[in-house]
Amino acid sequence: MSQPAWSRVDAWIEQTLLPPDEALAATLEASEDAGLPAINVAPNQGKFLMLLALMRGARRILEIGTLGGYSTIWLARALPAEGRLVTLEFDPHHAEVARANIARAGLADRVEIRVGPARATLAAMIAAGEAPFDLVFIDADKPNNPHYLDAALALSHAGTVIVADNVVRDGRAADPASTDESVAGIRRFMEKVAAEPRLVATAIQTVGSKGHDGFALALVV
Ligand code: SAH
Ligand code: DHB
Ligand code: MG
């Protein structure tokens, strides 16, 4: 199978299991119009994230890497009315587009966007004694993934689910000789996950409309 076949299957999955969704369609349209890159998770992946949060019964979710808020909306939909999602974004333009998308989706009361470099925001959250999160989705700049893992652990409790996007990158992540900084960040992240006694983890490759990539999934025990 090749990329066109993967995309056909994704389209079939979407048509079969994901009902048309105005807020999500408008989010992708507004993000494209605003010039944001189309590096959001695929629709079936977004629903997968929502399902993980529902299965976990998550009340507090942390996202690192907002973009236009597409994955944010999927995750926030898993929250109860009094739940909270904090999402971290470096680019003020992305954050502004996301804010409008999240408001259109009716989730402004549950979602807070914190603008700035995520490492600094996370350090401030840890220093301020921010309450732990039930699910953390890591999906920003890949070279910083090892740092994001440390911060996620500091903001976790037993039972927290940690998900990282893009841990395969067309298979490049499996190449120990790679000189790509993103690959180095992903590989170091995976090694740190493996070495952390508080984590039980795996990773799953994915193919589809977003190419060949994968998620790492870890549970804090
Ligand atoms: N989670 C989104 C996609 C995120 S794309 C979705 O699936 O819909 C990655 C985002 O991380 C981009 O918006 C980028 O601006 C942001 N980013 C990159 N470096 C960052 C940093 N150091 N701190 C916070 N956000 C960062
Ligand atoms: C990139 C980032 C992502 O989070 C993603 O899902 C795909 C691509 C990127 O930076 O190229
Ligand atoms: Mg991603």
Side-chain angles (χ1 to χ4, degrees):
M1 293 238 294
S2 62
Q3 179 113 26
W6 302 340
S7 291
R8 275 201 301 281
V9 173
D10 257 6
W12 166 69
I13 292 169
E14 192 179 343
Q15 281 155 24
T16 309
L17 294 175
L18 282 73
D21 191 306
E22 266 180 50
L24 288 168
T27 290
L28 294 181
E29 201 181 319
S31 299
E32 190 183 349
D33 291 349
L36 272 50
I39 56 174
N40 51 275
V41 294
N44 54 342
Q45 295 174 335
K47 194 165 185 183
F48 172 73
L49 293 172
M50 182 187 77
L51 283 164
L52 286 178
L54 285 170
M55 289 169 183
R56 177 61 193 81
R59 295 174 164 270
R60 286 177 52 78
I61 298 175
L62 172 63
E63 178 179 66
I64 308 174
T66 315
L67 192 65
Y70 184 79
S71 55
T72 317
I73 290 169
W74 275 114
L75 284 165
R77 283 180 175 174
L79 289 170
E82 73 282 8
R84 193 126 194 98
L85 186 152
V86 177
T87 184
L88 312 186
E89 175 54 52
F90 172 74
D91 187 318
H93 177 55
H94 293 183
E96 185 190 315
V97 173
R99 201 165 283 119
N101 287 333
I102 290 158
R104 193 195 298 103
L107 294 163
D109 59 333
R110 261 162 274 188
V111 177
E112 184 189 338
I113 307 175
R114 298 192 187 163
V115 182
R119 277 177 71 176
T121 310
L122 289 162
M125 288 167 72
I126 293 163
E130 175 103 24
F133 293 89
D134 308 311
L135 187 146
V136 182
F137 179 46
I138 301 173
D139 191 21
D141 49 329
K142 313 312 171 192
N144 272 322
N145 270 13
H147 300 287
Y148 297 151
L149 178 66
D150 289 338
L153 281 164
L155 293 166
S156 289
H157 54 71
T160 296
V161 170
I162 300 175
V163 189
D165 192 23
N166 311 116
V167 299
V168 173
R169 303 312 287 273
D170 288 309
R172 290 191 301 280
D175 175 9
S178 171
T179 55
D180 181 318
E181 275 181 37
S182 290
V183 167
I186 292 161
R187 291 181 64 85
R188 185 77 199 108
F189 167 87
M190 294 283 272
E191 286 157 12
K192 279 174 71 87
V193 167
E196 173 53 61
R198 294 170 62 198
L199 291 174
V200 180
T202 189
I204 295 293
Q205 300 184 68
T206 56
V207 294
S209 58
K210 299 289 174 176
H212 174 207
D213 217 319
F215 290 105
L217 186 62
L219 177 69
V220 180
V221 293

